[in-house]
Amino acid sequence: MKFCSKCGNKVIDEAVVCVSCGCSVTGVINQATQAKSSDAPNIGFAVIGFFFPLIGLILYLTLKEETPLKAKSAGNGALAGVIVSTVLSIIYAVVFASFFSAFFNFL
Ligand SMILES: [Zn+2]
């Protein structure tokens, strides 16, 4: 059982608004425990971060206060995505350079 922060009446834990005064009771009291219980490493966030590092970074920055474990998943995914794309672009540059030097040597 929690209490309405505005009028002080009892409100059931699942309630979103107070039945007495109608104000929002989306849990100053319950917020901390809810945030903690819903926080867990999330593979979906990691995958999003991997393919869209910028979105992963934004997710990390916006979620790190409330759900640090989810934020960390997005952050790690973004980091992995950045590393992989950097390595791929280096490989691509090396292949491209050797292709062109071979091409110009041929001429
Ligand atoms: Zn109330």
Side-chain angles (χ1 to χ4, degrees), residues 30-88:
N30 268 10
Q31 205 167 33
T33 48
Q34 274 178 355
K36 257 185 185 157
S37 64
S38 67
D39 186 24
N42 189 313
I43 191 71
F45 281 63
V47 170
I48 291 168
F50 182 81
F51 287 106
F52 307 101
L54 192 65
I55 295 172
L57 182 68
I58 292 165
L59 282 172
Y60 173 73
L61 292 173
T62 51
L63 294 174
K64 68 176 178 176
E65 296 295 329
E66 285 185 34
T67 54
L69 291 175
K70 267 183 192 164
K72 208 178 171 194
S73 297
N76 285 340
L79 196 64
V82 168
I83 290 167
V84 168
S85 62
T86 304
V87 169
L88 283 178

Side-chain angles (χ1 to χ4, degrees), residues 4-9 11 18-23 25:
C4 174
S5 58
K6 204 168 185 180
C7 68
N9 275 309
V11 189
C18 172
V19 289
S20 304
C21 70
C23 73
V25 288

